[in-house]
Amino acid sequence: MVSPATSARTGIENLNEKPGNCVTFHVAKDFWSSSLLDNTAGSVAVTAPATGLAQAVAQHRANVLIMDVEGAEHAILTRSDLTGVETI
């Protein structure tokens, strides 16, 4: 299990938030069940800074992008500046 403190420090990549805003993230006992939605009994709500995907790619000079976003790949890939990303 990832601690809520670790999740909040890591930040959330969220296309719907402007960088600098915060979002509520619900950390479940089984981390893969964690979500922006409060849909898991017993999850712990933490506030985490929101970072736009393009900002994160630029900040980390990422050239590879791996994602599992439950069908939102098209929306993310068509709405983000992925300059420098060579492999998705």
Side-chain angles (χ1 to χ4, degrees):
M1 179 177 143
V2 175
S3 75
T6 300
S7 298
R9 213 174 32 247
T10 301
I12 304 296
E13 309 306 323
N14 187 341
L15 286 177
N16 298 321
E17 294 294 329
K18 294 180 181 175
N21 288 349
C22 290
V23 295
T24 299
F25 189 68
H26 303 275
V27 180
K29 179 179 177 185
D30 296 322
F31 185 73
W32 52 85
S33 297
S34 299
S35 176
L36 291 171
L37 305 174
D38 186 10
N39 58 6
T40 303
S43 64
V44 176
V46 297
T47 301
T51 303
L53 180 60
Q55 178 187 3
V57 167
Q59 177 184 355
H60 299 287
R61 296 181 8 211
N63 65 346
V64 176
L65 180 61
I66 299 170
M67 64 176 69
D68 178 11
V69 290
E70 306 303 324
E73 291 84 357
H74 183 265
I76 291 171
L77 295 174
T78 58
R79 293 171 51 192
S80 296
D81 177 4
L82 301 176
T83 301
V85 175
E86 300 169 2
T87 305
I88 297 174

